[in-house]
Structure formats: structure tokens, C-alpha cells
Amino acid sequence: MEKVLLLRKIQECSIQETSYILGWTEAKVKMKMTRALEALKKEFHQEGGREDGTIKRIR
């Protein structure tokens, strides 16, 4: 899942470009991207992130 996140969000590749690079269908890219973002959100909240997207202060 890291590859799809890296290509789409860091390298700013389109869905079409990402599907070509990974050899996936566009539908698979969309599904993997959705799942990767959900997993990242879940990990963020487990590490102390808040529902509104902010991070609690560490003193």
C-alpha cells in the first residue's frame, strides 16, 4: 500500500499513471488508495491524533 500512497500523494501521479506504473487497473488503484488512507488514519488516531485531524500537544 505504501507504493500507491507514494505515487499518488508524493509523486502526484494520476490514477492512470499509477495504474500503468504498478500494472494495476484504475479500479484497483482507487481501492488500494482508499484502504491505504483508512489504514493511515487509523494509525494516526492510535498514535494520539484527534478526530478533527489535529495532534495533541506533547509536553
Side-chain angles (χ1 to χ4, degrees):
M1 282 193 223
E2 300 93 18
K3 290 179 185 178
V4 73
L5 274 173
L6 185 72
L7 289 169
R8 292 282 292 133
K9 297 299 181 183
I10 306 299
Q11 297 295 325
E12 298 181 349
C13 292
S14 68
I15 291 171
Q16 295 82 10
E17 292 168 328
T18 304
S19 68
Y20 177 79
I21 292 166
L22 297 175
W24 295 350
T25 64
E26 290 181 21
K28 184 172 180 177
V29 170
K30 292 175 187 178
M31 180 217 24
K32 291 286 191 176
M33 191 65 200
T34 299
R35 289 181 181 176
L37 289 172
E38 287 298 318
L40 190 59
K41 185 191 290 186
K42 183 178 178 181
E43 187 173 325
F44 174 77
H45 290 302
Q46 288 175 348
E47 294 296 323
R50 296 183 179 152
E51 288 295 322
D52 64 359
T54 60
I55 301 171
K56 63 183 173 184
R57 280 199 140 155
I58 301 172
R59 296 178 190 225

